[in-house]
Structure formats: C-alpha cells, structure tokens
C-alpha cells in the first residue's frame, strides 16, 4: 500500500537516492515532508515540476497520489 | 502511454537502407548508437514524393575536456512528448513526414545524440520544421544531462538561450 | 577557373562511407545520381568535432505530369560560383565545413537535384548556413531548367519568390 | 580568328543554335548585329547578362572580345 517517489536528474543527487516508497495516499504537504528539507526547498520553486501517473500536473500543489501511483520530481531540463 | 491519432504504416525496406521507417512519423528513443547515413537514406526513400528534406544531426562535442555525456529521461513523459511534438510539426508545416530520434544513456564525444529530419513539398517548410523540432525537443522530452570531466560528473544547467529559442515560435 | 584560398585536405575514408570528402569545403557538379546516405555519412565522419550538422536534399517533384527535368549550366561560371558561395557561408557562419553538390543533365522525378550540408559548433549557425546556401545557389550557379511534360519540353521561368529569399540575407 | 558566341538556356531555342563563330574583335554593337533581332531584343533587357572569358560583365555594353574569346549570353536563371 504505497506511492513511489522518483527523483530525476540533479534531484537524484540531492535526495541521495533514485526512488523512495511512502505510504498512500500522498498529497503536497505529505510529499514535502517525505522528501526532506533540501529537496522540499527545490520542489517549492516554480521551475520544478511534478508528474503523477505519467502526467505533469498543471498545479503541483493539487497532488493526490493513491496506492500504486508513481510521483516523479522533474527539475528543469538541461541546456546545451 | 497515450496513443497519437496519426495512422502509422510500415514502409517497404529500401534497397539501399536496411532500416524500416514508419511514415508519416518515426519517433524513437535509442539506448545505443545510430547510423545516420542509413537512417537518412531510409527516410529519403520513405518520402520519395517530397521535394525537400532537411535533417539535423547533433553530436557530443569534445569541449572542455568532456569525456562522456549521460542523458537521463522519464520514459512515461519522453516518448509521448516526442510523438506529440512530431505531430505538431507535421500539421504546422504541412510535412510529408518527420523523423525524431534521440539517444539516451552514456555517450562519448563524436557520437550522435539527436537526429531529426523533415520532408516537405516546400523547402522553407522543411527547414522551419527541423528548426522547430530542435527548439522544442528539450522541453517536450524531459532530458537531463550530465558531463563527465576529469574531476567527475557535472549536471548541465538549463540555459536562457533555450527560452529565447522557444519564444521564436510563439 | 579561379583558385579559392582555403586549404583543401583529403580525409581518411570512413569505415562506413566509401566516399572521400574534401574539407572544409566539398563542392561538386555531378552528371549522374548521388547517394545521399553515403554522402552524409562521409560528411559527418569528416566533421566529427562539429556539434551540429544540417543537411538539405532537394529532389525532382512528380508535379503536374513532369516526366523529366533537364538542368543546363555554364561551367566556367558554375563551379567557381558554387565554390565562392561555399567560402562565403564558411566565413559568415563560422562553419567547420560545408558540402555543396548539384546535379546537372537530365533527371527523373524522385531523383536528387541538390544536396547541401553545413557542420558547425552551434546548431543555429548550421541551420542558417544550409538555408543561405540554398537561397543563393541558383543565383550563384547559373542553372537553367526545363521540364518534359506530355506535350514536350518547357523552360522554367525565374520566380519572384527567389528574389524575396535572397533579400532575407541583405 | 574568331569569337565564339554561346546561347544558354532558353536563348538557345530562340537563336536556333547552341553557338556561333563570328569574326574578332567583337563589341556590344557587333554582338547585337551578330545574334539577330530576336535575341538582340532579349539581350538589351537588364535581366540578361553577358560573360566574356568566363567572367560576368558588370557593364555588358562595354564588351570587347578578342580572338579566341568565348562570349556567353546568360538569361535569368530558372526558379523552382
């Protein structure tokens, strides 16, 4: 009975792991607590997006992930 | 993964090219090297009626002591994002077809990262479509890059120039 | 025929491509068909350091019952004109190299007429150089076209659109 | 002791031949006479250029071709 949080790109280094399982259901405040203060600070910035069930959320603060859902933390894509 | 609305059909293999190209759109994420000459020969053969074909090939540059480049992505967004972008280009520039191939994983300098091609009746449309595809690919496809230099791996930050490139099409 | 100032050197033949490409510029008038895949594979191999390569391929369109297309030229102007144009593009867009190949003689629908490619450190430069080469090729190279239709051969008139294309670069 | 006049593109059809040998030297007025009235009328238009010894003349009316020279009549290049 869990939600998978995926840390992508540079957030993977900041989180120190690729993914983490947390208890379902998971909302925005639950996510902030689950990822720790450093990642939470990044996540709070506009340039970091959130996907749930393979869809980018228009309003990431409306997150509501249920059992079996995958929540992906998407930092801005790289230039170059 | 959402289905796109285009009807896909398979082309007969060309005599020159051993590759099969889907028409009108051929969108691929590749985890190993791509043969550019073969891909373009097959794309040209698949769009014999098009008056003009423009291609762009992007390669890993051997700049600043870069030893390797790693591209990570989020597959549930990347493939649909690339397909939807190719669809947009097809309609917007009245293309006969488009090819959008992107490498993921670890690459070394000189290796191909991205190949796009656009086939159209008119030259200007083919040029603009290839340009449009390249400008939008990064934002459509959620790629994160890091470079391996002498002192280890470094993430590549977003660039302001990318936003300027995108603004050209608004 | 006037000599251009660039130093030409010959590239080692690539394992993939059987063609030898001159660098930085490879300018050719061809009286028979060209293998686009091979040409681009060889050009890419010759410019391994370039971050981006843009190519344009123009083909005879099977429009309005065209059975064949004949391109005549005036050789003492065509080859130097194409070389000088390629030189201009090389300097103007800071290219690593360029390929400018043009068919002459009689071609049938689907056959390649022209292939240009530009290799550069920066994507935008490679796109603009290929576009520039195509816009200027006709005026630099003195080609006259006629089409064979059911009722015989017809000369193709100059187009106003060509003047508009050239004006973009002034 | 002659100059070769080359008729290129559509001018070839109008002249009814690919090339013609005329006596050297050849200037602008001599050329107009040599090519006949139909081609002369075309040649007089700004959009038709003249090359001598493989060079397009900036002022075609300044033509002066000597023995062995090739004079090429260049109609505007085709579109498409």
């Amino acid at each position: 009975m869990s939600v998978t949080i995926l840390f992508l790109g540079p957030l993977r280094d900041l989180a120190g792991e690729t993914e983490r399982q947390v208890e379902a259901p998971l909302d925005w405040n639950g996510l902030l607590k689950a990822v720790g203060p450093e990642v939470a600070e990044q996540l709070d910035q506009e340039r970091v997006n959130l996907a749930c069930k393979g869809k980018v959320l228009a309003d990431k603060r409306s997150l509501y992930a249920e059992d079996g859902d995958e929540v992906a933390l998407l930092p801005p894509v790289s230039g170059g | 993964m959402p289905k796109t609305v285009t009807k896909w059909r398979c082309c007969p293999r060309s005599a020159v090219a051993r590759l099969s190209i889907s028409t009108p759109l051929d969108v691929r994420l590749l985890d190993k090297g791509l043969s550019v000459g073969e891909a373009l020969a097959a794309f040209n053969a698949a769009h014999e009626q098009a008056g003009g074909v423009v291609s762009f090939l992007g390669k890993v540059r051997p700049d600043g002591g870069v030893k390797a480049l790693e591209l990570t992505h989020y597959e549930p967004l990347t493939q649909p994002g690339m397909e939807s972008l190719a669809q947009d280009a097809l309609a917007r520039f009245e293309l006969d077809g488009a090819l959008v191939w992107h490498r993921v994983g670890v690459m070394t300098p000189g290796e191909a990262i991205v190949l796009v091609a656009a086939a159209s009746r008119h030259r200007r449309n083919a040029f603009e479509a290839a340009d449009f595809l390249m400008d939008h690919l990064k934002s459509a496809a959620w790629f994160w890059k890091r470079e391996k230099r002498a002192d280890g791996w470094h993430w590549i930050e977003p660039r302001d120039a990318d936003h300027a490139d995108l603004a050209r099409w608004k």
Side-chain angles (χ1 to χ4, degrees), chain A, chain B:
Chain A
M1 300 301 137
S2 66
V3 170
T4 305
I5 302 174
L6 277 184
F7 301 96
L8 289 156
L11 288 181
R12 191 177 69 190
D13 294 356
L14 205 61
E17 57 193 339
T18 304
E19 57 175 82
R20 183 181 308 178
Q21 311 287 329
V22 297
E23 251 177 59
L26 184 73
D27 66 3
W28 175 249
N29 285 322
L31 178 65
L32 290 182
K33 270 177 227 153
V35 297
E38 277 191 314
V39 173
E41 195 191 317
Q42 289 294 315
L43 198 48
D44 209 36
Q45 291 179 27
E46 278 316 306
R47 55 183 226 147
V48 174
N49 281 282
L50 210 57
C52 184
K53 284 178 273 193
K55 297 281 177 200
V56 181
L57 301 177
D59 173 15
K60 61 189 174 188
R61 290 171 181 82
S62 71
L63 173 71
Y64 190 81
E66 296 176 291
D67 182 40
D69 288 353
E70 189 171 83
V71 173
L73 277 59
L74 311 165
V77 294
S78 303
Chain B
M1 195 183 309
K3 289 287 172 220
T4 51
V5 289
T6 315
K7 283 179 194 140
W8 302 72
R9 65 178 171 81
C10 203
C11 262
R13 280 153 192 269
S14 135
V16 212
R18 279 163 292 167
L19 274 161
S20 242
I21 291 284
S22 295
T23 58
L25 300 179
D26 193 298
V27 177
R28 303 186 194 189
L29 279 160
L30 304 163
D31 55 12
K32 54 187 179 199
L34 54 99
S35 169
V36 175
E38 273 186 55
L40 292 177
F43 183 76
N44 291 334
H47 298 285
E48 247 202 330
Q49 307 286 311
V53 176
V54 170
S55 75
F56 175 81
L57 167 68
K59 290 185 282 188
V60 182
R61 285 200 308 244
D63 289 358
V66 172
K67 293 174 178 355
L69 180 75
E70 188 196 38
L71 230 71
T72 52
H73 69 128
Y74 184 47
E75 204 277 334
L77 294 180
T78 313
Q79 181 78 26
M82 285 169 63
E83 283 171 9
S84 151
L85 173 62
Q87 283 287 349
D88 286 354
L90 193 74
R92 179 169 184 157
F93 301 101
E94 296 172 6
L95 301 180
D96 290 9
L99 174 151
V100 182
W101 288 11
H102 213 294
R103 272 292 306 275
V104 291
V106 177
M107 287 150 269
T108 51
E111 271 195 90
I113 309 176
V114 57
L115 179 67
V116 307
S120 174
R121 187 181 155 83
H122 300 289
R123 168 157 64 93
R124 183 71 53 226
N125 284 18
F127 266 107
E128 289 189 355
D131 203 3
F132 173 90
L133 285 167
M134 284 306 304
D135 275 350
H136 288 76
L137 204 45
K138 273 173 288 187
S139 60
W142 299 93
F143 291 119
W144 298 277
K145 287 184 194 172
R146 51 178 201 159
E147 286 175 353
K148 190 181 192 177
R149 296 196 282 266
D151 59 344
W153 287 97
H154 299 268
W155 288 103
I156 301 174
E157 291 293 309
R159 280 192 316 149
D160 287 344
D162 296 331
H163 301 292
D165 286 346
L166 284 178
R168 295 166 63 222
W169 305 99
K170 292 278 155 67

